[in-house]
Amino acid sequence: MSKQKISAQLLLGPVPAALISCGRDTGEKNIITLAWVGVVNSSPPMVSIAVRPNRHSHAIIADTGEFVVNIPTVEQVDLVDGCGTHSGKNINKFTHFGVTPVMGTLKYAPLIDECPLNMECVVEHTLALGSHSLFIGRVVQAYADESATGEKGKVDFNRCRLLGYSNGQYLSVTPLDLKLGYTLKK
Ligand SMILES: Cc1cc2nc3c(=O)[nH]c(=O)nc-3n(C[C@H](O)[C@H](O)[C@H](O)COP(=O)(O)O)c2cc1C
């Protein structure tokens, strides 16, 4: 073993580059790109998002207790990057980047119609961790485009052309065509 000690750092990758949408009762709608998005529970289905308090979206999510996780494709990398380098303080990202807000079952947070997969979430817990707030949301409704589903309407990640992110780099995530023990349980 030739291990070197390196500084305490985050060595997880790839993580999804996701588009989180949110909104207010004033009609304002926003999108923020987040890579720190994770699955945290299966029953009930729950996801976490880590958001810096200075993001415009932070106050919207904290005030309304709602957000939508929209999963983009690799072809949407410009949209993902744009929503992660512009603030909703200054622009309406839906009109600026030409994407469509569609209301689902939540009161204020819209889906992004152009993303093939969407999860509507209601905030159940908020943790102030330091640099980021962790919002843990229960998925109350999910949506899949036909382009992302296969047999019997099941989501088929082979068809989703997933976009990942790691250490300052965008990645394309390609599923492996393997049939191993754990994959057979799904
Ligand atoms: C690929 C990528 C990943 C990002 N991940 C996060 C993240 O996990 N948490 C966060 O607070 N900001 C993250 N950001 C930065 C925000 O998306 C960015 O500051 C954005 O402009 C904030 O938008 P808002 O002010 O409209 O909320 C990321 C940006 C990019 C491009």
Side-chain angles (χ1 to χ4, degrees), residues 30 33-36 50 52 55-57 84 86-88 93 170:
N30 196 32
T33 300
L34 297 180
W36 294 5
R52 284 188 184 267
R55 310 297 190 217
H56 186 64
S57 307
H86 291 72
S87 178
K93 297 189 211 181
Y170 291 106

Side-chain angles (χ1 to χ4, degrees), residues 15-129:
V15 290
L19 291 171
I20 311 309
S21 45
C22 52
R24 286 195 183 279
D25 59 357
T26 56
E28 179 187 3
K29 295 174 176 55
N30 196 32
I31 308 171
I32 178 172
T33 300
L34 297 180
W36 294 5
V37 176
V39 172
V40 292
N41 202 50
S42 56
S43 182
M46 294 172 110
V47 291
S48 67
I49 57 169
V51 187
R52 284 188 184 267
N54 67 344
R55 310 297 190 217
H56 186 64
S57 307
H58 187 283
I60 303 177
I61 296 167
D63 290 351
T64 61
E66 293 184 348
F67 61 89
V68 180
V69 179
N70 304 272
I71 305 298
T73 65
V74 285
E75 289 81 10
Q76 292 171 317
V77 67
D78 287 337
L79 169 68
V80 169
D81 201 62
C83 290
T85 50
H86 291 72
S87 178
K89 274 177 209 149
N90 310 314
I91 59 165
N92 176 332
K93 297 189 211 181
F94 279 95
T95 51
H96 189 87
F97 295 111
V99 285
T100 319
V102 173
M103 293 314 294
T105 65
L106 296 179
K107 252 185 165 167
Y108 311 117
L111 316 178
I112 302 174
D113 199 28
E114 287 77 4
C115 290
L117 299 172
N118 324 81
M119 290 173 278
E120 291 183 317
C121 301
V122 171
V123 176
E124 298 253 321
H125 307 279
T126 304
L127 292 171
L129 298 177

